[in-house]
Amino acid sequence: MDKDMRRDIHVPSLKDELTGLYTMSWIMTQLYPSGPIKVTPDSVVLFFNVMNFQSINRRFGFEGGNQYLRNLAHEMSLIFKDDVVARAGGDHFIVISNTLSDEEVVKRLKDLDDAMRKHERGLHMHIKTGIYHSDGKEPLFVTLIDRAKMACDVVKNVYDRDYVFFDDKLKKNNELRQYVVEHFDAAFKKEYFSVYYQPIVRSITGEVCGYEALSRWKDPYHGMIPPFIFVDVLESVRLIHKLDMFVVDKVCKDIRKHIDGGYVYEPISLNLSRLDFELCDVKQVLLDTIAKYDIPKDALIVEITESAAATGVESLVQKLSDIRASGIQVWIDDFGSGYSSFNNLQLYDFDTLKIDMEFVRGIGVNPKSEVIISAIISMSKRLQLPTLAEGVETKEQYDFLKRVGCEKIQGYYFGKPEPRENYALVKDSTLANLEDPRMRKYYSEASSLNMLSSSPLNSFHSKKKDAGGLVNLTAITLIELDETTDKTRFVFYNRAYEKFFESLGIMSIDMVKPYFGEEGENGIREVFKEAESKPDERITLDVEWSEDITLHCRVRFLARYENKAIFGFVVRRKDA
Ligand code: C2E
Ligand code: MG
Ligand code: MG
C-alpha cells in the first residue's frame, strides 16, 4: 500500500450512504496494480465488530442505531486520520494502514474506546477488533481482511478482551480457510462445487414432500470441504452471492430436467445469506432463473438463517416481502439459534419456521428441549406458520415431533444430503414414497391443527386463547374418508387418544376403527357431510360404545382433494 494513497484517490465512486465512509466494494476496485492499495510488510488491517449493536437498535430504534454507526465512523476517521477507513456492511468496519506499529494500533484502539463512551447513551457497548499485521507474502488482498476478521471472530467470544492479533496458532487453524479464499474462483471454474439434496418428509404421511439443496466443495487436495468453512469465508470476503446464485441456477436446471423427463418433482429449498441481498438483486436473479428454465415459482423456496435476518435492515424486510409477493416462499432457518429469533418473527413474514437442530438433539435427553420445541410449535400454529424440524436422526425424535404436530421433518433418519442421481426418478409418486404434488395443499391444511391445544378444533381465528401444553390430555385423531372406496383411515392419533381407549379396555386402535366409519355405519357419513358444509363449525356426534358408555365426539372438516377428505376428531366420554 502506498503511503500517499489517500491523496491519490480522486472522487471515490462508491461511498457508504449512511456513514460516508468508503465501501468494501470500492476498496476492492482500488487494489494494486490498477489502484493505489498495495500490500507491504508494513500493512495492518483492523476488523471491527460492534458486539451488542442490536441493543442500541432496540432501545433507540433504527435511527438511534444509524446515529451510533455515524458517530463511530466519524470517531474512526478522526483517530485513524491517515489511514483508509471503510464500512464492511452492518456494524462491521475496516481500517487499512501502512504506517501504524502494533503498539500504536493498541493505543489508537484505546482512544477509540474512550471517544465512543460519550455516544453510548447509557448502554455499555463493546467494540471488538481483530488485527492482522502483514508479512508481505499474502497472495491476495482479501487474505489480509479475512485474517483480521478471523482474529475478530476469536475475540468476539472472549469476555474481558476487546482486541486480538492474528498469530501463528490462528494461522495454522485457518489454513483451510485461506485455501478457500485463494481457490474459490478456480474451484468454480473447475466445477468442484456441486449441489446435494436432502429429503424433507411430511410427518403425518411419512412421504417426501421436498428437498433442501446444500452445496458441496469436492476438492482434489483437501477432499470434501464443509459448508461451515467455505460459507463463512465467502461471506467474509463478500463473494457468497457467487456461490448462492450458482446454486439457484443449478437447482432450477435440475427441476427442469425432472419436468422434461416427466418425473414427479418436489419443491426445493436453498440457503441464502443476508449478504446476498446487499451484493445482488436476489429477487431479480430468482425470477430470471425461474424464467430461463421455465419452471413453476412454487418449485423453489428460499431459506434465510436467523442470524442472517438479524441485522434487521429495513430494506431486507421489504426485499423478503417482495420475494414472497412474487410467489416464492421464504423460510426462516435455524430458528432459536441466534439472539433475535422472536424479533425476526415480529419483523418479517415467513412461510415456514425451521426449528434449530440443537433442540431436536435434546428430545428424550433433555426434558427442557421438549418443552421448548412444544412451545415453538404452539406459537407457530397461532401465527399460522408451519414448522419443520431438522437434524432428526432417530425414531424417538420423529415420533415426538409428529405427536406435537410438527408438520415437516428433515434429518439423517430419512436421508442424508446426496447427489441428485442417487434419488429415484419416478413418474408415479406412489412408487417412491413421494408426495403427490396435487395433494400438497390438502396435507398442509390437514396438518395445521394444534395438537397441543386442549381445544384443537378451534379455528385459528377463534377468540378463545389456548397456548397449549407439553402433554395434551385431549384425545385427538385425524380421519380420512376416501369416497371412492367409502373407507376411512386413521391418519394420525395422539397419545391421549390411545390412553383414552386403553381406559375403556381397548389395547389396539384397530379395534376402534369400525366405530369411526370404517364400515360406513353410525351415521358418520352424515356428520362428515355436515362438517364439510360448515367448515368453521364443530359438529357433535354421539357414538354408542357399549350399553353404559357413550362417546361424545366433535368433528371439524380440515381439507379435501377430489374424493378424499380429512376430518379432525376430539373424543371424550359423554358422562365424563
Ligand atoms: P442448514 O441450512 O441448517 O442445513 C442443515 C445442515 O444440517 C446441513 O449441513 C445438513 O447436512 C445437516 N444435517 C441434516 N440432517 C442432519 C442430521 O440428522 N444430523 C446432523 N448432525 N446434521 C444434519 P451442511 O450441508 O454441512 O450445511 C451447513 C450449513 O451451511 C447449512 O445449514 C447452511 O446454513 C449453510 N449452507 C449450505 N449450503 C449453502 C449454500 O449453498 N449457500 C449458503 N448461503 N449457505 C449454505
Ligand atoms: Mg437451511
Ligand atoms: Mg438449518
Side-chain angles (χ1 to χ4, degrees), residues 4 20 26 38 72 117 134 137 171 237 304 364 368 375 379 389 452 493 508 523:
D4 297 333
W26 179 83
K38 192 174 168 189
L72 178 56
R117 289 281 157 248
S134 164
K137 292 189 206 135
K171 191 169 172 176
V237 298
I304 317 277
K368 286 188 201 166
M379 173 192 71
L452 297 167
Y493 45 84
S508 158

Side-chain angles (χ1 to χ4, degrees), residues 212-214 269-272 303-305 333-334 354 390 410:
E212 176 172 13
L214 295 155
S269 59
L270 45 87
N271 296 279
L272 291 187
E303 292 187 15
I304 317 277
T305 55
D333 204 355
D334 303 337
K354 291 188 87 167
E390 345 181 46
Q410 178 184 353

Side-chain angles (χ1 to χ4, degrees), residues 198-212 266-267 269 331 352 354 387-392 398 401-402 405-416 423 432-435 443 447:
Q198 185 178 30
I200 295 172
V201 166
R202 170 105 50 206
S203 319
I204 59 167
T205 60
E207 288 173 349
V208 172
C209 62
Y211 292 90
E212 176 172 13
E266 305 293 340
S269 59
W331 294 2
T352 287
K354 291 188 87 167
T387 43
L388 186 161
E390 345 181 46
V392 175
Y398 171 41
L401 290 159
K402 182 174 171 182
C406 182
E407 279 100 330
K408 291 179 184 173
I409 314 274
Q410 178 184 353
Y412 296 168
Y413 183 64
F414 296 100
K416 291 194 169 180
Y423 286 105
N433 200 30
L434 289 177
E435 181 166 291
Y443 283 122
S447 34

